[in-house]
Amino acid sequence: MSTSLLDQYFPSSRKVYIQGSRPDIRVPMREILLTPTTGRFGSRPNEPVRVYDTSGPYTDPSFVWDPQKGIPPLRRAWILERGDVEEYEGRPVQPLDDGYTDAAEWRKLRGIGNEPGLSTIERSNTGPKRPRMDAASATAVGNRNGHSHQVRNGLAVQRRPLRAKPGRRVTQMHYARRGEITPEMEFVALREGVDPEFVRQEVAAGRAIIPANVNHPESEPMIIGRNFHVKINANIGSSAVASSIEEEVEKMRWAILWGADTVMDLSTGKNIHTTREWILRNSPVPIGTVPIYQALEKVGGIPEELTWEIYRDTLIEQAEQGVDYFTIHAGVLLRHIPLTANRVTGIVSRGGSIMAAWCLAHHKENFLYTHFDEICEILRAYDVSVSLGDGLRPGSIADANDEAQFAELEVLGELTQIAWKHDVQVMIEGPGHVPLHKIEENVRKEREICHDAPFYTLGPLTTDIAPAYDHITSAIGAAVIGWHGAAMLCYVTPKEHLGLPNKDDVKEGVIAYKIAAHAADLAKGHPRAQQRDDALSRARFEFRWRDQFNLSLDPHRAMAYHDETLPAEPAKTAHFCSMCGPKFCSMRITQDIREYAASRGLTLEEAVEQGMREKAEEFRREGGQIYQEAWPEA
Amino acid sequence: MSTSLLDQYFPSSRKVYIQGSRPDIRVPMREILLTPTTGRFGSRPNEPVRVYDTSGPYTDPSFVWDPQKGIPPLRRAWILERGDVEEYEGRPVQPLDDGYTDAAEWRKLRGIGNEPGLSTIERSNTGPKRPRMDAASATAVGNRNGHSHQVRNGLAVQRRPLRAKPGRRVTQMHYARRGEITPEMEFVALREGVDPEFVRQEVAAGRAIIPANVNHPESEPMIIGRNFHVKINANIGSSAVASSIEEEVEKMRWAILWGADTVMDLSTGKNIHTTREWILRNSPVPIGTVPIYQALEKVGGIPEELTWEIYRDTLIEQAEQGVDYFTIHAGVLLRHIPLTANRVTGIVSRGGSIMAAWCLAHHKENFLYTHFDEICEILRAYDVSVSLGDGLRPGSIADANDEAQFAELEVLGELTQIAWKHDVQVMIEGPGHVPLHKIEENVRKEREICHDAPFYTLGPLTTDIAPAYDHITSAIGAAVIGWHGAAMLCYVTPKEHLGLPNKDDVKEGVIAYKIAAHAADLAKGHPRAQQRDDALSRARFEFRWRDQFNLSLDPHRAMAYHDETLPAEPAKTAHFCSMCGPKFCSMRITQDIREYAASRGLTLEEAVEQGMREKAEEFRREGGQIYQEAWPEA
């Protein structure tokens, strides 16, 4: 998929950009062109509908993608011109970063060559040590930023990492608090249709975050907060059992095409450093990770072998690559472990279980908790947001809203304030599995305890009995929790609890969650949300079938379903569908009713009130004729 | 599909019957057998889980199905022994009942023969006029009830209709109000796990209905009411454009296999009488219809040609066949029509639009409203429940909860009391398209205005933007409205707004709605609901993969998804899955943690409190070993 992506998946859509206050602030939108209303419905053009667009340059017909070169680093100029970061040599990449403990094995793999997807990672030393770093060159696309040397991870783009200069904090929260509206904030404001100053206030207050690592200049700024569009995250990632780097990059591109606002790379097993590098260089959306997964790989998968030093090193490794937010399970404390003893499903968060095992083995407090200040010092040097993990989230209906879950939430509230002290942007992760009547309590408590930091929830699933359909069980919970105030919804695919999602599953999950997020936006009364519903419903009422398809989340599937029973081309303009056939089409009959009045210069009210029997006779005759003209029955 | 249906779709399930107070009260349940817990999780058997079973005799391995003979008329003895019905000649079936106006055409079709599915309907006069009607023979199966003659609709079973003796009312509400617990009520009580007297009280109060036409003895009693399991309805039916009788019978059987509690036959076009006859004789669930559809066919599809006489005749025709509930759009009044003038999608109910067109053409009040007392007199003679149609339900988010919708609801409240005066069982239909924040108001108003009559809603869809995924947009709304008190949820399939559902769509729709109904049951705290969730979650935690699949709504799909990444047989007992792989399995690690304490005779609390460094050392060593033993990585 490349230049024809829009044509391929979103017919009659075109990529447009809203121009900001400076030439390099161009906010992408997808504009859906509509056909005019004609015939019995009147005669008027229909305004195009603009929708939020997460798909990045891939849907821009002028963009030519070379995965080795990555996508344009659009934020790099903004980052550099603030003057508060410095380029530095960076931590040397090691075989262990990709899961190789055997140096000989690693050498052997390196020798195979530079094919993308192989774990032949080694930072090249042949390139220029100090590439040009002025704003002008930095806005150029990836393949022209001064690093054309081919390196051993298969990527052509290779930048030395940036970090805050000594004593500086480079987070969007920091800028917001000192009253500054950054290009990122303006970008977000245009994207959301709100005032930039409002964005600044929300970020300053901690009610919203803009995940934007200085080392991920490819990302198009987006905001996560209760007072903005509800966002969705798609998880991808290989495991020890399945998947490859190419597949994961492709899943990322596929997820954002359908509407994922962020992507979490949850890879485990081998090659996770390289997988992440490929994803980041090609991702226009913020990327999240759970660094403890990689740290655990580095100690051979044995939780009790984890150390703060290994974890810290992993944070820096990933921050230098450009990860935008880290899930950190710093709220799982020793005293919480007994609270899970009588649970039906114990601890279901991978990170939570790893940290609980570590705590118990060492009989020490969680090192993520005891070192949280140091963690924040690292995060603020790159503007990595922290997503405080819910290591004790319920994994079944039986365990929802229990003592363990809420005990951890109290700790997350405490950690939120520590992070904010460092100007680190924070969101709070939430469950999991929760029956409908216990969902609102989760939001209420989160807001109270965590001081209105954005809530980022996984589903929740509203029942346990439907594996293979958990995108649906959880879309129900996601819509409800989004309505009550969750700011981002982590998708669940049909494979949840069963296996790794493939590309089809990613799409099903993303679309189910676009539905949940949009339903929440409507319920929250987001001013822009209903435009698309109204445009689609009007198209439906006026039998503008193609507009109905094109305005939908998945135009081709809508059209394919329509065509299954009425495939002929004239059916695309027919004033009925196969559900009811011509005689039973309620919308058609409604239109007959409206025309009956209108053709007589009456409102429906007048037509009813006057009670003219004559006119009724006429309508009967004409109505009869209308139905006789109907599409011949099959 | 026949005797092996359970084996085929629900492995490790068996059909069981709960015996009631008399031999012929046998309430079907599906019992899911579980494997014992073994190994590190202890050693204990796991009780089978019984689930509500809508699938009828088709899942009984001792039942041999002959579609021409229909299924056993299990209620016939109960109906006859009450002594308040009489058998009578019945209304002669006419060519027009199947949509044939041309007598010559009809003769020709009759001549073709007796193949099922052809519209060769004529009630035979060769059979005995007065078959034996004592209870003993009536409990026999359909092919032995005294009517073995082959008739021209292709069915072997042919009973003369029953109706109330003069001056009698034969509705479950009537019996309940006079303090009688019928076999139907006892059946329902056993099925729901409640006291029969409670069932009686709910039916007497009008808070619940048991749709049970005396001419549909094949139906297994079920109840629709806020204080019982939330039910789901599946719509089937051919249209002028597509489908056949065989397909529709098969869709009915397919829908109930997956869990539909009632089925509405919404056929339009030709052969609708015969289609309905085939469905009824083979349906163990109540069948609903919208009689105006057939009435409209009889007048050539021209709404203004409808008359009360044609409609009345159609009601009797369908009541004699055994339809259990009728949707009647008696609440659409002349004065409501102007209220729809500024709607985005006008009138989207077929019945509503037909009646509105009729009202306006004649400038007369809706004849369903003006004749409602007579309608009730017919209904009470057969115990057909009335489902008061929401002809003005919103068809888009923009139109939700508007004046037109609630004006009609007021009329439905008035009609409810008229029906109750006749002891006719009533439910109230609801929307439609409603954003999340406006759902609760629908239930509150319905309960208030309609005096707590059961609420039967279509979805509602919580956004308009996802045609092809409206099973999901509406499952969200359905779960929420069910939680707030809707008693039955009418499913929506992925084809909604696009085309007629095929068999696959029916399954997708039913399962999405089983999820919604179950989520609602959990949220309402239904005492039986959580058992299945807990059993499944325990199986999940203990890596009893097969139990997890078998307890799910769709075992084969769950297993297939699991097998996509880990197909090998040992993976069915592996203590991890492909999502996380062996090292990252949180449930496995939780179990390690629990075992660490248990193996030392400690609770988790003690293990934490004692803080024994020695033990921590031991765990580290043993833990290391556990992970080294893990499933070899792929």
Side-chain angles (χ1 to χ4, degrees):
Chain A
M1 53 190 210
S2 175
T3 56
S4 60
L5 256 189
L6 270 193
D7 290 342
Q8 211 176 331
Y9 295 100
F10 298 102
S12 294
S13 277
R14 61 176 189 180
K15 187 101 176 178
V16 296
Y17 294 91
I18 306 171
Q19 185 61 56
S21 65
R22 43 186 277 180
D24 62 351
I25 297 183
R26 295 172 70 233
V27 179
M29 303 287 279
R30 180 161 64 90
E31 191 168 79
I32 305 166
L33 303 174
L34 305 183
T35 62
T37 295
T38 55
R40 66 190 305 205
F41 300 101
S43 178
R44 60 178 180 281
N46 287 295
E47 286 296 300
V49 174
R50 287 191 172 186
V51 298
Y52 194 105
D53 179 17
T54 59
S55 60
Y58 301 113
T59 48
D60 187 327
S62 70
F63 177 68
V64 181
W65 186 45
D66 176 346
Q68 290 183 291
K69 292 177 179 166
I71 59 172
L74 74 92
R75 290 173 50 237
R76 194 158 165 93
W78 311 342
I79 295 160
L80 296 178
E81 72 194 14
R82 285 191 278 259
D84 54 3
V85 292
E86 59 180 13
E87 203 178 54
Y88 69 113
E89 204 48 55
R91 174 190 168 281
V93 179
Q94 298 153 21
L96 199 57
D97 297 347
D98 263 324
Y100 295 96
T101 45
D102 182 338
E105 187 189 3
W106 183 65
R107 297 277 163 215
K108 195 176 142 209
L109 274 160
R110 273 180 68 209
I112 291 171
N114 299 323
E115 295 90 336
L118 287 173
S119 61
T120 52
I121 351 95
E122 189 185 32
R123 197 171 291 271
S124 167
N125 291 318
T126 61
K129 289 278 187 242
R130 283 270 161 200
R132 279 163 51 217
M133 278 191 50
D134 58 284
S137 75
T139 55
V141 293
N143 60 336
R144 291 194 286 132
N145 71 351
H147 302 271
S148 61
H149 55 281
Q150 180 76 9
V151 290
R152 295 307 193 93
N153 59 9
L155 279 159
V157 56
Q158 201 76 13
R159 283 185 294 267
R160 296 201 313 163
L162 300 175
R163 71 177 170 206
K165 287 178 179 167
R168 306 298 290 268
R169 298 170 176 197
V170 300
T171 71
Q172 294 291 322
M173 185 179 216
H174 178 68
Y175 306 136
R177 283 175 163 181
R178 71 181 189 198
E180 202 174 304
I181 294 172
T182 61
E184 285 87 345
M185 293 173 205
E186 185 189 334
F187 191 103
V188 156
L190 289 167
R191 212 169 184 182
E192 300 274 342
V194 297
D195 192 61
E197 171 58 18
F198 178 70
V199 172
R200 189 199 64 74
Q201 286 170 11
E202 291 291 295
V203 172
R207 276 193 299 272
I209 68 171
I210 299 175
N213 186 324
V214 295
N215 291 311
H216 187 207
E218 297 90 349
S219 76
E220 296 171 342
M222 54 80 70
I223 194 161
I224 302 167
R226 186 163 50 83
N227 295 318
F228 302 93
H229 282 101
V230 174
K231 303 303 187 298
I232 69 167
N233 171 68
N235 290 337
I236 60 169
S238 54
S239 80
V241 183
S243 208
S244 75
I245 294 175
E246 291 86 340
E247 276 176 66
E248 296 314 311
V249 172
E250 203 46 36
K251 277 185 204 163
M252 177 276 290
R253 288 175 8 103
W254 189 238
I256 64 175
L257 178 69
W258 296 108
D261 294 284
T262 76
V263 166
M264 287 194 80
D265 173 16
L266 304 185
S267 293
T268 57
K270 294 220 188 298
N271 303 320
I272 51 184
H273 181 100
T274 306
T275 303
R276 190 189 306 125
E277 188 71 30
W278 277 81
I279 290 172
L280 278 161
R281 298 292 73 82
N282 287 289
S283 174
V285 303
I287 297 296
T289 63
V290 188
I292 200 82
Y293 297 174
Q294 188 180 13
L296 188 66
E297 293 288 359
K298 291 178 181 175
V299 296
I302 305 167
E304 48 279 27
E305 298 289 332
L306 284 166
T307 64
W308 160 243
E309 290 68 29
I310 288 167
Y311 185 81
R312 181 181 181 282
D313 183 58
T314 306
L315 288 187
I316 292 169
E317 173 191 347
Q318 298 196 7
E320 289 181 351
Q321 287 187 288
V323 173
D324 300 284
Y325 63 91
F326 290 153
T327 292
I328 300 183
H329 297 92
V332 178
L333 301 188
L334 206 45
R335 66 175 185 266
H336 298 150
I337 300 172
L339 302 177
T340 68
N342 296 316
R343 278 182 156 188
V344 167
T345 44
I347 302 175
V348 297
S349 147
R350 296 188 213 173
S353 67
I354 292 164
M355 292 319 300
W358 186 91
C359 290
L360 196 59
H362 293 276
H363 200 76
K364 277 187 180 163
E365 205 48 280
N366 183 341
F367 62 77
L368 302 173
Y369 177 78
T370 56
H371 290 273
F372 196 69
D373 265 302
E374 287 166 79
I375 289 173
C376 291
E377 284 164 18
I378 296 169
L379 303 187
R380 75 185 189 201
Y382 301 91
D383 200 6
V384 181
S385 300
V386 61
S387 185
L388 288 169
D390 54 338
L392 302 179
R393 68 167 177 266
S396 53
I397 292 296
D399 296 343
N401 293 23
D402 73 352
E403 206 186 339
Q405 184 193 333
F406 289 137
E408 183 186 24
L409 191 61
E410 295 283 349
V411 183
L412 302 189
E414 182 191 319
L415 295 170
T416 298
Q417 290 190 305
I418 295 173
W420 285 350
K421 196 184 68 190
H422 293 275
D423 292 341
V424 167
Q425 304 189 87
V426 182
M427 60 181 169
I428 309 293
E429 295 188 10
H433 292 237
V434 184
L436 278 169
H437 64 299
K438 292 187 178 176
I439 288 177
E440 193 177 358
E441 184 184 14
N442 276 275
V443 182
R444 205 175 55 241
K445 288 212 175 208
E446 189 273 343
R447 289 188 57 181
E448 227 172 78
I449 296 169
C450 298
H451 320 284
D452 248 349
F455 201 21
Y456 167 33
T457 63
L458 175 64
L461 283 72
T462 51
T463 165
D464 304 339
I465 67 168
Y469 297 85
D470 279 333
H471 60 310
I472 301 179
T473 64
S474 68
I476 294 169
V480 172
I481 208 162
W483 165 32
H484 287 304
M488 185 156 75
L489 310 170
C490 182
Y491 86 170
V492 169
T493 79
K495 288 276 170 61
E496 184 73 15
H497 298 117
L498 299 169
L500 268 191
N502 61 24
K503 234 180 117 174
D504 288 343
D505 300 318
V506 167
K507 179 182 167 188
E508 296 298 317
V510 168
I511 288 189
Y513 273 68
K514 287 307 274 187
I515 290 169
H518 188 75
D521 282 342
L522 287 173
K524 294 197 315 187
H526 191 289
R528 281 192 179 178
Q530 205 179 310
Q531 287 174 9
R532 188 171 178 180
D533 295 74
D534 292 352
L536 192 144
S537 291
R538 266 187 223 107
R540 181 174 280 158
F541 186 67
E542 294 178 0
F543 298 100
R544 288 184 276 116
W545 286 100
R546 289 199 185 279
D547 289 350
Q548 188 187 156
F549 304 148
N550 293 339
L551 284 161
S552 74
L553 291 179
D554 186 358
H556 283 298
R557 189 176 290 183
M559 188 159 73
Y561 283 1
H562 173 269
D563 288 359
E564 260 181 46
T565 30
L566 279 183
E569 193 52 30
K572 300 292 191 311
T573 51
H575 286 183
F576 64 92
C577 73
S578 66
M579 274 191 301
C580 309
K583 286 189 291 197
F584 286 89
C585 181
S586 58
M587 295 211 185
R588 186 191 173 103
I589 297 171
T590 300
Q591 195 55 31
D592 291 342
I593 293 169
R594 290 186 180 182
E595 280 173 19
Y596 162 65
S599 67
R600 284 152 190 82
L602 301 173
T603 64
L604 275 175
E605 195 139 32
E606 290 163 346
V608 169
E609 277 172 4
Q610 298 190 11
M612 293 164 289
R613 288 181 180 278
E614 273 179 24
K615 308 255 173 190
E617 289 295 322
E618 271 176 50
F619 178 61
R620 189 184 311 174
R621 283 197 303 276
E622 290 173 18
Q625 202 174 11
I626 284 163
Y627 291 107
Q628 283 159 28
E629 275 169 12
W631 198 256
E633 285 184 35
Chain B
M1 52 190 210
S2 176
T3 56
S4 59
L5 256 190
L6 270 193
D7 290 345
Q8 213 177 328
Y9 294 101
F10 297 103
S12 293
S13 277
R14 61 176 191 181
K15 187 101 176 177
V16 296
Y17 294 91
I18 306 171
Q19 185 61 55
S21 65
R22 42 187 277 181
D24 62 352
I25 297 182
R26 296 171 70 233
V27 179
M29 303 286 279
R30 180 161 64 89
E31 192 167 81
I32 305 165
L33 303 174
L34 304 182
T35 61
T37 295
T38 55
R40 63 189 308 202
F41 300 101
S43 179
R44 61 178 182 280
N46 287 297
E47 287 296 300
V49 174
R50 287 190 172 185
V51 297
Y52 194 104
D53 180 18
T54 59
S55 61
Y58 302 112
T59 48
D60 186 329
S62 71
F63 176 69
V64 181
W65 185 46
D66 176 346
Q68 291 183 292
K69 292 176 178 166
I71 60 171
L74 74 91
R75 291 172 50 237
R76 191 158 169 95
W78 310 343
I79 294 161
L80 296 179
E81 71 194 16
R82 286 192 276 259
D84 53 5
V85 292
E86 60 180 14
E87 204 178 54
Y88 69 112
E89 203 48 57
R91 174 188 168 283
V93 178
Q94 300 152 20
L96 200 58
D97 297 348
D98 263 324
Y100 294 96
T101 45
D102 182 339
E105 187 189 5
W106 184 64
R107 298 275 164 216
K108 195 178 142 211
L109 275 161
R110 272 180 70 208
I112 292 173
N114 300 323
E115 295 90 337
L118 287 173
S119 60
T120 54
I121 350 95
E122 190 185 32
R123 196 170 293 270
S124 167
N125 291 321
T126 61
K129 290 274 187 249
R130 283 270 160 202
R132 279 164 50 218
M133 279 195 42
D134 59 284
S137 74
T139 57
V141 292
N143 58 336
R144 291 193 285 134
N145 70 352
H147 303 269
S148 62
H149 56 284
Q150 181 76 7
V151 291
R152 294 307 194 92
N153 61 7
L155 279 159
V157 56
Q158 201 74 13
R159 283 185 295 265
R160 297 202 313 161
L162 301 175
R163 69 176 171 208
K165 287 178 180 167
R168 306 296 293 268
R169 298 172 175 195
V170 300
T171 72
Q172 294 291 321
M173 186 180 216
H174 178 69
Y175 307 135
R177 283 176 163 180
R178 72 182 191 198
E180 202 175 303
I181 293 172
T182 60
E184 284 88 345
M185 293 173 204
E186 185 188 335
F187 191 102
V188 156
L190 290 167
R191 209 168 186 184
E192 299 276 342
V194 297
D195 193 60
E197 171 57 17
F198 178 70
V199 171
R200 190 198 62 74
Q201 287 170 11
E202 291 290 296
V203 173
R207 274 192 301 271
I209 67 170
I210 300 175
N213 185 324
V214 295
N215 291 312
H216 186 207
E218 297 90 347
S219 77
E220 296 171 342
M222 55 78 70
I223 194 162
I224 301 167
R226 186 161 52 82
N227 295 317
F228 302 92
H229 282 101
V230 174
K231 302 304 187 295
I232 69 167
N233 170 70
N235 289 338
I236 60 168
S238 53
S239 81
V241 182
S243 208
S244 74
I245 294 176
E246 293 87 340
E247 276 177 67
E248 296 314 311
V249 171
E250 203 45 36
K251 277 185 203 164
M252 177 275 290
R253 288 173 10 100
W254 189 238
I256 64 175
L257 178 69
W258 295 108
D261 294 284
T262 77
V263 166
M264 287 194 81
D265 173 15
L266 303 185
S267 291
T268 56
K270 295 221 185 295
N271 302 319
I272 54 184
H273 181 100
T274 306
T275 302
R276 190 188 309 123
E277 188 70 31
W278 277 81
I279 291 172
L280 278 160
R281 298 292 71 81
N282 288 289
S283 173
V285 303
I287 297 296
T289 63
V290 188
I292 200 82
Y293 296 174
Q294 189 180 11
L296 187 66
E297 294 287 357
K298 290 178 180 175
V299 296
I302 304 168
E304 48 278 29
E305 298 289 331
L306 284 166
T307 64
W308 160 243
E309 289 68 29
I310 288 167
Y311 186 81
R312 183 182 180 283
D313 183 59
T314 306
L315 287 186
I316 292 170
E317 172 191 348
Q318 298 196 10
E320 288 180 352
Q321 286 187 291
V323 173
D324 300 284
Y325 62 91
F326 290 152
T327 292
I328 300 182
H329 298 94
V332 178
L333 301 188
L334 205 45
R335 67 172 184 268
H336 297 150
I337 300 173
L339 301 177
T340 68
N342 296 316
R343 278 182 156 188
V344 167
T345 45
I347 303 175
V348 297
S349 148
R350 295 188 215 174
S353 65
I354 293 165
M355 293 319 300
W358 186 92
C359 291
L360 196 59
H362 294 274
H363 201 79
K364 276 187 181 166
E365 204 48 279
N366 183 340
F367 63 76
L368 303 173
Y369 177 78
T370 55
H371 290 273
F372 196 69
D373 265 304
E374 288 164 80
I375 290 173
C376 290
E377 283 163 18
I378 297 168
L379 304 187
R380 77 184 187 201
Y382 301 91
D383 200 6
V384 181
S385 300
V386 61
S387 186
L388 288 169
D390 53 338
L392 302 179
R393 69 168 175 268
S396 54
I397 292 297
D399 295 342
N401 293 23
D402 73 353
E403 207 186 339
Q405 185 193 334
F406 289 138
E408 182 186 24
L409 192 61
E410 295 285 347
V411 182
L412 301 189
E414 182 192 319
L415 296 170
T416 298
Q417 290 191 306
I418 295 173
W420 284 350
K421 195 184 67 188
H422 292 276
D423 291 343
V424 167
Q425 305 189 89
V426 182
M427 60 183 167
I428 309 294
E429 295 188 8
H433 292 237
V434 185
L436 277 169
H437 64 299
K438 293 188 177 176
I439 288 178
E440 193 177 359
E441 184 184 14
N442 276 276
V443 182
R444 205 175 56 241
K445 288 212 174 207
E446 187 275 341
R447 289 188 58 181
E448 228 172 77
I449 296 170
C450 299
H451 321 284
D452 248 347
F455 200 22
Y456 168 31
T457 63
L458 175 66
L461 283 72
T462 52
T463 165
D464 304 338
I465 67 168
Y469 297 85
D470 280 332
H471 60 310
I472 300 179
T473 64
S474 68
I476 293 169
V480 172
I481 207 162
W483 165 30
H484 288 304
M488 186 155 76
L489 310 171
C490 181
Y491 86 171
V492 169
T493 78
K495 289 276 169 63
E496 184 75 14
H497 299 117
L498 300 168
L500 270 190
N502 62 24
K503 233 179 117 173
D504 287 342
D505 300 317
V506 167
K507 179 181 167 189
E508 296 299 316
V510 168
I511 289 189
Y513 274 68
K514 289 306 274 187
I515 289 169
H518 188 76
D521 282 341
L522 287 172
K524 295 199 313 188
H526 191 290
R528 281 191 179 178
Q530 205 178 313
Q531 287 173 9
R532 188 171 180 181
D533 294 75
D534 292 352
L536 190 145
S537 290
R538 266 187 222 103
R540 182 173 280 160
F541 186 66
E542 294 178 359
F543 299 99
R544 287 183 277 115
W545 286 100
R546 289 199 184 280
D547 289 350
Q548 188 186 155
F549 304 149
N550 293 338
L551 283 161
S552 74
L553 291 179
D554 185 359
H556 283 300
R557 189 176 291 183
M559 188 158 74
Y561 282 1
H562 174 267
D563 288 0
E564 259 180 48
T565 31
L566 279 182
E569 194 50 33
K572 301 290 192 313
T573 51
H575 285 184
F576 64 91
C577 72
S578 65
M579 273 191 300
C580 309
K583 286 188 294 197
F584 285 89
C585 180
S586 59
M587 297 214 184
R588 184 190 176 107
I589 297 171
T590 300
Q591 195 55 31
D592 291 343
I593 292 169
R594 289 185 180 181
E595 279 172 20
Y596 161 67
S599 68
R600 285 154 188 80
L602 302 173
T603 63
L604 274 175
E605 194 139 33
E606 290 163 344
V608 169
E609 277 172 4
Q610 295 189 13
M612 294 161 291
R613 288 182 180 277
E614 271 179 24
K615 307 256 173 190
E617 288 293 320
E618 271 176 49
F619 177 61
R620 187 184 311 174
R621 283 196 302 275
E622 289 172 16
Q625 203 171 9
I626 285 163
Y627 293 106
Q628 282 159 29
E629 275 169 11
W631 197 257
E633 285 182 39

